[in-house]
Amino acid sequence: MRITVMGTGYVGLVTGATFAAAGHDVACLDILPERVAALNAGECPIFEPGLPELLKAGLASEKLRGSGEMASEITEADLTFICVGTPSRNDGSIDLAQVESAAAAIGDALASGERKHVVVVKSTVLPRTTEDLVLPRVLERSGRDRASVGFAMNPEFLREGSAVADALQPDRIVIGAADGLARARLRLLYAGAECPVLECDPRTAEMVKYASNAFLAAKVSYTNEVANLCEAWGIDFATVAEGMGLDDRISPRFLRAGAGFGGSCFPKDVKALRTAAAAEKLPVAMLDATLVVNESQPLLLVAWARDALGSLKGKRIALLGLAFKPDTDDVREARAAVVARALLDADASVVGCDPQAAANFTALCDIKIAASAEAALDGADCAILMTEWPEYAALPPAVFAERMARPLVLDGRRALDAKALRNAGVEYRAIGLGGNK
Ligand code: UGA
């Protein structure tokens, strides 16, 4: 099939490259000529393992290309995927400006053709957005009738860091079609899928995405709350999680205790759902609690640093890991920023390191950056592990014991070896680890 993708961010590029790998003819659209040129030159604008290779393979096979020819690409395509950003506004509500302008651009393009076309929303949008915003906007701008333009919502379930694998081997596909035209084309597009395919209406598909992310976020906050109880009561939460995970209704996944969730999705989606519900005066105690726990959880590490060091004024604190999770350079809503700000407010001297995210982080928060974990640990009074990068988990205990002024390690991700560190003389405390005190 011939496909156009609007939005050359993380979702758009992964989606476009995956469809090209499946043999479809894909044009990734962007209004900025320099972005189109960079894409066609094989440059990948984001850090995502496997994506540069997939983009290059698509370009080499001539199945994938960047294009600025919005109107002709769309009129000649069978399907257009809207993969633009849906950021949070300051009040937590969803900003649909990019979705709205994508819909208007598609409408303008379709005004000049007669070929049947299907518009698919992949961006995460609140229930009814496809039906109440995208559909009318496209029809009004194109002057087309309902019979010649189909509409659907088809959410993505990509995790940063493993987005390529998630896109190539999805665990589920949700087709929220508003009409038979959209349903038929998306069935054909996903005909080779080896995973379950759920068909529903657009607003249900939109809700599946929000409900999934909010559930996983709630699971993390619940995990963290219980892990804190375990820590206080001398119980190792890792074993509790193992026991819970043996129940297949619970599943062992997303039961990792830590400093809380970050990223471009969970915080934004929970806030958007909560704000939209509040506007309709619907109670959302679970969503509220999910966010409350997630704000206080990283501060536990700062409280532990104070417990051990007293005043933090002038103390050198090393932050190992700044990205919201490993295998990404994304620092959006990173819990490391919550910790760094609290430490800076207490006049500590904060030195961070991260294999990918240091530059992005300094735009958020004014801390010193060390070139390596070793350099960050040199002379530190305390180290706080915020992102479980494998290279930090593999640091020999002697690095902490010998380089730090006071070998005090607070593990915000349960990534380090408690026994080995303690044997090397390191004071070690980790979230959910009983016997900390
Ligand atoms: C999340 C979802 O997992 C994807 O399914 C979804 O498609 C994506 O959002 C999206 O909406 O686009 P992502 O934000 O990339 O993906 O990252 P996750 O791997 O889900 O982790 C989110 C946060 O939860 C991270 O900060 C991670 O450290 C934290 N987490 C995760 C925990 O603290 N404990 C866990 O057990 C699992």
Side-chain angles (χ1 to χ4, degrees), residues 110-129:
L110 293 178
S112 62
E114 279 167 23
R115 210 169 157 210
K116 285 191 175 175
H117 193 82
V118 171
V119 179
V120 187
V121 177
K122 216 173 227 318
S123 303
T124 298
V125 293
L126 282 166
R128 305 177 74 120
T129 305

Side-chain angles (χ1 to χ4, degrees), residues 10-11 124 156-162 166 172 209 212-213 216-217 219-221 223-224 252-269 294 323-326 328 332-335 386-388 412-413:
Y10 150 81
V11 174
T124 298
E156 52 83 18
F157 300 105
L158 311 173
R159 290 163 301 166
E160 286 187 32
S162 45
D166 289 345
R172 66 212 196 271
K209 169 70 187 201
S212 299
N213 273 4
L216 291 172
K219 193 173 180 187
V220 172
S221 279
T223 291
N224 288 336
R253 299 175 72 190
F254 273 72
L255 283 183
R256 278 183 290 112
F261 58 80
S264 64
C265 306
F266 286 180
K268 166 176 84 77
D269 294 349
N294 201 48
F324 85 94
K325 66 173 188 178
T328 178
R332 282 174 286 179
E333 300 274 352
R335 297 299 85 187
M386 291 304 303
T387 318
E388 65 277 33
R413 295 291 169 192

Side-chain angles (χ1 to χ4, degrees), residues 351-365:
V351 190
C353 59
D354 192 284
Q356 295 293 339
N360 287 343
F361 195 83
T362 46
L364 272 189
C365 204

Side-chain angles (χ1 to χ4, degrees), residues 374 377 391-403 416 420-421 424 426:
E374 286 83 352
L377 292 170
E391 45 269 69
Y392 298 156
L395 284 170
V399 171
F400 296 96
E402 289 164 15
R403 289 186 176 250
L416 303 171
L421 284 168
V426 172

